[in-house]
Amino acid sequence: MIERIETGTRMSKIVKHNGVAYLCGQVGEGASVEAQTRDCLSRVDALLERAGSSRENILQAVIWLADMADFAEMNAVWDDWVPEGHAPARACGEARLARPDLKVEIIITAAC
């Protein structure tokens, strides 16, 4: 059974299947990579809760940065956010994001 949460024409914010929650990509508000990453991760927290999951259950994270020069700044926020001993499999790359003001987008898959 597939459960879709907050489904629109283009996408669902969460799709659950076989005990796994797939979150749509999250972006954040703010002028800096740090601010956008913090806001983005707070949105991830809200979606994880809605899916019946948590940071401790994250299986995989895919992170897109508009500029890899921002890698260390994003990682400083990420490292404080991930619970010790629960780091997910992760990839991070550079990509042109949906709007020029966006600096980071994070996609999460978690057990629920």
Side-chain angles (χ1 to χ4, degrees):
M1 174 144 184
I2 298 172
E3 178 184 0
R4 298 176 197 282
I5 300 170
E6 290 192 48
T7 299
T9 303
R10 182 169 292 142
M11 67 180 191
S12 298
K13 288 196 175 182
I14 304 167
V15 175
K16 294 171 67 173
H17 181 257
N18 285 339
V20 177
Y22 304 87
L23 308 185
C24 67
Q26 294 300 299
V27 297
E29 298 295 324
S32 68
V33 171
E34 177 184 1
Q36 286 191 20
T37 303
R38 285 190 193 289
D39 190 44
C40 176
L41 292 174
S42 73
R43 294 169 192 235
V44 168
D45 281 332
L47 288 176
L48 286 170
E49 183 177 342
R50 180 108 192 255
S53 190
S54 67
R55 295 179 194 180
E56 290 80 7
N57 294 330
I58 296 174
L59 303 170
Q60 182 180 44
V62 177
I63 302 171
W64 293 113
L65 294 171
D67 186 341
M68 284 304 290
D70 296 328
F71 188 67
E73 187 177 351
M74 179 277 300
N75 273 329
V77 177
W78 174 266
D79 291 345
D80 285 342
W81 182 80
V82 174
E84 187 174 337
H86 297 278
R90 192 185 101 164
C92 183
E94 182 177 292
R96 184 174 303 165
L97 301 179
R99 298 188 324 254
D101 60 311
L102 294 176
K103 300 177 185 301
V104 61
E105 181 170 357
I106 300 176
I107 305 161
I108 297 289
T109 303
C112 52

